[in-house]
């Protein structure tokens, strides 16, 4: 079935009889769509919509085929090389499955990271934080940078140190001399919050997604409750609606104050 998709993409990219839009694309112009499709896969999973997940996985697969087709046209590699590379990598990183290394309980994640570190070193990576993709969402990239630093001992021993850092960064943001300094300090504050979440065992990206969803749900409920009058209400009235919305969601005995 993948061969059918490969054939379709080759026809779309045909410089004579193909689709003008597809022919005009490059790695750079397609990359944002690739990122978007990955997020839409995650969204379908979060909503538990398996029919949508099927479709979104297809859209993501199309992105892989699209990039591979452009690479083949340029003489770099083909889709078969992509598949071979990932198969080789998975076998290499699972020697306890495909090789003769024993796998004590709980050892697999450490073994995976050790092998990845060896691969990075073979590619000439000079730093423990080399290879953390720039295209990751900022919260996720911050967490990965912190994890990498932690593996070589640059980390808080517990959540308390990370929590104290938040207060320090918040104070520095409060006393920033100008907008540029304030932006920098708020960036440091967000980085510190990610560190605290990591030490507390919380996925910061997932936590913020959940907070976004909660805000959206409550805001829409406020709009519905107020109807066309919502925009014209003063802040006090809107705050009262917000509290009422929270109260409606909260279980009995756990009402917001």
């Amino acid at each position: 079935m993948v061969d059918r998709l490969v054939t379709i993409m080759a026809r779309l990219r045909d410089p004579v009889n193909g689709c003008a839009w597809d022919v005009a694309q490059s790695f750079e112009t397609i990359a944002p769509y690739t990122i978007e499709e990955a997020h839409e896969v995650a969204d379908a999973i979060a909503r538990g919509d398996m029919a949508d997940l099927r479709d979104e996985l297809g859209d993501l697969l199309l992105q892989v085929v699209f990039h591979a087709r452009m690479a083949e046209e340029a003489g770099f590699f083909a889709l078969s090389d992509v598949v071979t590379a990932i198969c080789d990598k998975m076998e290499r990183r699972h020697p306890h499955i495909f090789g003769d290394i024993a796998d004590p309980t709980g050892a697999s994640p450490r073994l995976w990271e050790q092998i990845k570190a060896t691969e990075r070193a073979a590619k000439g990576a000079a730093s423990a934080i080399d290879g953390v993709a720039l295209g990751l969402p900022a919260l996720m990239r911050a967490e990965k940078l912190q994890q990498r630093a932690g593996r070589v001992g640059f980390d808080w021993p517990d959540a308390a140190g990370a929590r104290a850092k938040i207060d320090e960064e918040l104070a520095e943001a409060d006393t920033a001399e100008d907008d540029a300094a304030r932006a920098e300090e708020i960036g440091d504050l967000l980085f510190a919050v990610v560190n605290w979440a990591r030490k507390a065992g919380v996925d910061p990206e997932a936590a913020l997604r959940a907070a976004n969803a909660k805000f959206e749900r409550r805001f829409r409920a406020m709009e519905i409750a107020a109807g066309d009058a919502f925009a014209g209400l003063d802040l006090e009235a809107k705050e009262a609606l917000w509290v009422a919305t929270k109260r409606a969601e909260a279980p009995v005995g756990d009402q917001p104050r």
Side-chain angles (χ1 to χ4, degrees):
M1 296 301 291
V2 175
D3 289 344
R4 180 184 173 193
L5 183 57
V6 171
T7 300
I8 289 170
M9 180 51 63
R11 184 168 179 180
L12 289 172
R13 289 279 298 178
D14 185 280
V16 177
N17 299 311
C19 170
W21 186 90
D22 290 277
V23 172
Q25 301 312 304
S26 65
F27 295 116
E28 292 76 16
T29 61
I30 289 299
Y33 295 101
T34 307
I35 295 169
E36 180 181 346
E37 296 300 348
H39 283 298
E40 290 182 357
V41 166
D43 179 66
I45 293 171
R47 290 184 286 104
D49 189 333
M50 292 298 104
D52 199 25
L53 177 59
R54 176 201 61 206
D55 292 344
E56 297 301 345
L57 285 171
D59 291 342
L60 186 58
L61 177 59
L62 174 64
Q63 296 298 307
V64 176
V65 172
F66 206 141
H67 283 286
R69 177 63 194 179
M70 290 186 292
E72 184 175 5
E73 292 167 358
F76 297 132
F77 56 82
L79 182 63
S80 59
D81 299 308
V82 174
V83 174
T84 297
I86 189 57
C87 288
D88 290 346
K89 181 187 294 184
M90 295 304 290
E91 291 177 351
R92 184 173 65 250
R93 291 184 179 178
H94 292 85
H96 56 294
I97 302 297
F98 302 103
D100 55 4
I101 294 180
D103 179 28
T105 301
S108 297
R110 292 194 299 273
L111 181 60
W112 174 276
E113 291 301 334
Q114 290 169 3
I115 294 171
K116 285 179 66 177
T118 300
E119 292 172 354
R120 288 194 296 269
K123 291 180 178 180
S127 170
I129 59 175
D130 279 349
V132 180
L134 289 170
L136 289 172
L139 287 180
M140 187 182 298
R141 189 164 194 268
E143 182 183 24
K144 288 186 176 294
L145 288 169
Q146 293 164 5
Q147 288 172 340
R148 290 281 191 88
R151 290 182 195 135
V152 292
F154 190 68
D155 199 4
W156 297 106
D158 53 41
R163 176 62 183 83
K165 189 67 174 176
I166 292 175
D167 291 333
E168 176 186 329
E169 298 296 351
L170 184 59
E172 291 179 359
D174 283 338
T175 57
E177 296 181 353
D178 53 37
D179 290 345
R182 187 172 298 104
E184 180 179 352
E185 296 301 344
I186 289 176
D188 292 344
L189 174 61
L190 291 170
F191 193 84
V193 170
V194 170
N195 218 351
W196 183 46
R198 183 176 63 87
K199 299 302 290 185
V202 174
D203 179 342
E205 189 75 24
L208 185 56
R209 281 200 303 269
N212 288 341
K214 180 169 61 177
F215 178 83
E216 182 178 13
R217 182 178 68 249
R218 290 176 176 175
F219 190 87
R220 291 181 187 279
M222 289 167 57
E223 290 179 314
I224 292 171
D228 294 339
F230 178 76
L233 295 175
D234 60 23
L235 183 57
E236 184 177 355
K238 288 187 174 77
E239 178 64 20
L241 273 173
W242 179 263
V243 171
T245 300
K246 290 177 64 176
R247 185 176 291 115
E249 285 189 356
V252 175
D254 189 26
Q255 295 294 325
R257 297 193 176 104

